[in-house]
Structures are given as structure tokens and as C-alpha cells.
Amino acid sequence: MRRALMDSGVIVWRQLIQLPRIPEVVIFALIQPVLFVLLFRYVFGGAIDTPGESYVNYLLPGIFAQTVAFGAVASGIGLAEDLQRGLIDRFRSLPMARSSVLVGRTVSDLLRNVGVIGVMLIVGVFVGFRPDGSIPALGLALVLLLLTSFAFSWIGVVIALSMKTVEAVQSAGFIWLFPLTFASSAFVPTDSMPGWLQAFADNQPFTIVVNAVRALCLDQPVGHSVWLSLVWMIGIVVVMIPLATRRYRRRTG
């Protein structure tokens, strides 16, 4: 166990020290959410009614959650590139725990998202976002976002290990994310949707996370959203880690 943790730490460090050498990874990870902020804040925001709250305050928690969710695609693409270049085969020739490759990648992506969320918070404040939750509530919101990042990264890993090319991983990575993020409460209140879509949107995990983060950031009643978010994300991790490990052994065995 200790060896696996140490090997995972080495992989995490390897992933993080690469970032200054390939700054475009971080830059493009930031450009997309910033464009979403500007687009919805200044183009669509005036046409969307959010009773009792300004639209920018309603929007930013959804952008935070969308940003960490889309990070799952980067996790999958990065792993697929390592597989395609033969880097994973070289890791296998070293005396290191096999699980460290997957754990190291998902943890490094989680740490990268800490920085991305920080930058997005600065952008949000610049366009008028004013969180008024308490420090513990804001801390809990950050924990939920990072847990969401970790859980969704494992879905990206499973997709990467199921596809044969990087292009296929990129396409498959967005197919499940688009309906999950847009058919949710991230950008518009779900009560404006048709009944059948609202039933889906209100009960899917992304909406529950967004509602929890929004309530914590804006000092609103959280209801059941926090513990439901924890159940959903922990459940995804519990299911995805064994599935990813099994596929990794088949792919590299």
C-alpha cells in the first residue's frame, strides 16, 4: 500500500511538472469556461429569469461544476495519448504498482482543477459574481467540486481504456457530458423545461451537485442536495475504479 502511494505520488509529480512545459493544456482548459461565462453573462443572461437572484450569481456555480466535469475529457485524452505513445508499456517495465498510473493521473487532474477553479472564481468576481456564503460553506462547495472532478475523471479513464484512438476518446468523452451539463440547472432553472426533461434534469447527479454548490455559495437552504451529491460522487468512484482497473489490466496485460 505504501509503495503504491509513493508510486502514485511520483506519477502525480510527473504530470504536474509537465504543465509549465505545455502551457496550452492549462490555457485551453481556461478558455472554454471563460467563453461560457462571457456568453451566458452578456448574451443570454438578459433573457433568462432567475427569481430572487441575479443571473451572474446563478450562473457561476454552474460554470464551476461544468469546468471540473469537462476536465474528465482531458483525463481520458491524456491517458489515451500515453497508451498510444507506448508510455504505459514503459511504466510496466518498471518496478512500480500498476494502480499508480491511473491513481496518479486522476489525482493530478484534480490538483490542476484546484487552480482552474481559482482562476474561474477571479473571472466570476470580475463579471459581478458575489458569493455570500460563510467560509465553511464555501470550503464545502470546493470539496464537492473536487470530488466531482475526481469521480468524473474516472469515467474519462474508463472511456480512454475502452477506445482505441485518441480521436475516439475525445468524441466519446463529450457525448455523455453535453446532455448531462446542459439538461441541468447549470444555466437555466429546470422549471422552464418540458415535464419529461425536467424530471430527468432535477434528479441527475450534475444538477444535484450544481444545486448544492449554488446553495452553499449564495447562503441558501441546501436541503438534501449536499448529502445526495456526496452519495452520487462516491458511488461513481466506487463503481468506476474497479471497472477502470479491470480494463487497464486487459489493455496492458
Side-chain angles (χ1 to χ4, degrees):
M1 183 66 178
R2 182 181 176 187
R3 179 190 163 197
L5 291 174
M6 292 179 65
D7 291 343
S8 299
V10 172
I11 297 296
V12 170
W13 179 246
R14 171 191 174 271
Q15 294 298 124
L16 294 179
I17 62 174
Q18 286 187 86
L19 293 179
R21 300 173 191 167
I22 43 176
E24 60 269 21
V25 172
V26 177
I27 292 173
F28 284 109
L30 290 171
I31 287 177
Q32 189 178 59
V34 170
L35 287 177
F36 271 107
V37 169
L38 298 178
L39 185 66
F40 278 89
R41 171 71 174 90
Y42 295 111
V43 179
F44 300 127
I48 299 174
D49 186 25
T50 52
E53 193 59 69
S54 67
Y55 183 68
V56 65
N57 279 350
Y58 181 92
L59 172 67
L60 262 296
I63 293 290
F64 294 151
Q66 185 204 39
T67 301
V68 299
F70 278 18
V73 179
S75 299
I77 292 174
L79 180 60
E81 287 177 341
D82 287 346
L83 285 165
Q84 191 166 287
R85 289 184 301 177
L87 183 62
I88 302 299
D89 291 332
R90 275 184 276 171
F91 283 152
R92 286 186 58 225
S93 67
L94 299 174
M96 61 187 296
R98 286 192 175 187
S99 59
S100 62
V101 176
L102 303 183
V103 173
R105 173 163 292 281
T106 52
V107 172
S108 64
D109 289 340
L110 183 151
L111 295 176
R112 186 189 63 192
N113 272 333
V114 174
V116 172
I117 292 171
V119 173
M120 291 310 303
L121 179 60
I122 295 173
V123 173
V125 171
F126 183 74
V127 299
F129 177 55
R130 298 292 181 268
D132 51 7
S134 64
I135 297 299
L138 294 176
L140 181 55
L142 178 61
V143 169
L144 287 180
L145 288 170
L146 295 180
L147 182 58
T148 303
S149 165
F150 188 66
F152 280 28
S153 287
W154 280 101
I155 298 177
V157 166
V158 171
I159 291 173
L161 294 169
S162 304
M163 301 289 141
K164 294 183 179 179
T165 66
V166 176
E167 292 78 11
V169 172
Q170 186 170 12
S171 300
F174 281 111
I175 286 176
W176 65 279
L177 273 174
F178 275 122
L180 204 63
T181 53
F182 285 95
S184 73
S185 65
F187 304 106
V188 297
T190 58
D191 55 12
S192 64
M193 300 177 184
W196 61 271
L197 184 57
Q198 183 182 353
F200 167 76
D202 284 340
N203 295 288
Q204 56 115 325
F206 189 78
T207 290
I208 294 172
V209 170
V210 170
N211 290 345
V213 172
R214 182 177 291 131
L216 290 167
C217 288
L218 303 180
D219 195 24
Q220 297 173 349
V222 297
H224 300 297
S225 59
V226 171
W227 72 264
L228 280 176
S229 299
L230 293 173
V231 169
W232 264 110
M233 294 307 126
I234 292 173
I236 291 173
V237 170
V238 168
V239 171
M240 288 297 156
I241 287 181
L243 186 58
T245 304
R246 188 161 56 246
R247 288 186 180 276
Y248 180 74
R249 287 175 179 164
R250 288 182 181 176
R251 184 77 177 263
T252 62

